[in-house]
Amino acid sequence: MGAIFFYIFIYFIGYYASNVLNMVTVRPLVTNRYMAALVPVYGFAFGHAYMVVTKPLPAGADISMEYALLVFITLPVVVVTMGAAYFMWNSKGKEEHSDNQSAANNQESAEAVAAETAGDNGEPRTDNPAGAAGSSETPSTADSPKNKDSKDA
């Protein structure tokens, strides 16, 4: 159980180190911190496995080398990797939700800006202020030469 906590601790050190690295640099270097934090975990796991294989096991412990590799290295690394994949998957759902939310907010704010620039005071507007029988031409196009020619013909 202690090995799992050790590798989780190493994972979070790598995660926050990549965050600090992104804050220090002008442009973010690490785009996926969840997977980048696994690099120190795998580094420690290979170093730990090397030590277990090359050094003799403690005399009082009645375990084999394979058991030590499986329980103290492989199992914690698999748990940490699955946790990192879960957190990455979970954050993508939040990003998509926040993207959809921000797109909806941008749409609402664009509509509000358009309403303000049109001079809308919250009163209902009619499409044709002159009424249904009024002219649909705007004043700028009503006196254009094209319209005068078409009336003469």
Side-chain angles (χ1 to χ4, degrees), residues 13-38:
I13 287 176
Y15 180 81
Y16 289 115
S18 63
N19 187 25
V20 169
L21 179 68
N22 280 345
M23 286 191 296
V24 170
T25 59
V26 175
R27 200 178 68 175
L29 296 175
V30 180
T31 57
N32 190 350
R33 290 183 294 173
Y34 298 103
M35 291 298 134
L38 289 174

Side-chain angles (χ1 to χ4, degrees), residues 17-139:
S18 63
N19 187 25
V20 169
L21 179 68
N22 280 345
M23 286 191 296
V24 170
T25 59
V26 175
R27 200 178 68 175
L29 296 175
V30 180
T31 57
N32 190 350
R33 290 183 294 173
Y34 298 103
M35 291 298 134
L38 289 174
V39 171
V41 170
Y42 291 140
F44 271 93
F46 284 125
H48 193 189
Y50 177 76
M51 295 299 287
V52 167
V53 170
T54 58
K55 304 278 182 179
L57 295 173
D62 190 28
I63 59 173
S64 67
M65 180 182 56
E66 293 82 13
Y67 179 80
L69 288 172
L70 178 69
V71 172
F72 298 119
I73 299 166
T74 307
L75 179 66
V77 169
V78 167
V79 168
V80 169
T81 303
M82 287 177 24
Y86 172 75
F87 286 130
M88 183 181 68
W89 173 72
N90 197 20
S91 73
K92 284 185 180 179
K94 288 180 182 177
E95 287 175 2
E96 289 174 0
H97 179 68
S98 66
D99 288 345
N100 291 340
Q101 188 75 5
S102 65
N105 289 342
N106 289 342
Q107 176 86 13
E108 290 172 3
S109 64
E111 289 172 358
V113 167
E116 288 176 7
T117 58
D120 189 14
N121 296 332
E123 300 171 359
R125 289 190 289 169
T126 59
D127 289 337
N128 191 357
S135 173
S136 63
E137 294 179 309
T138 60

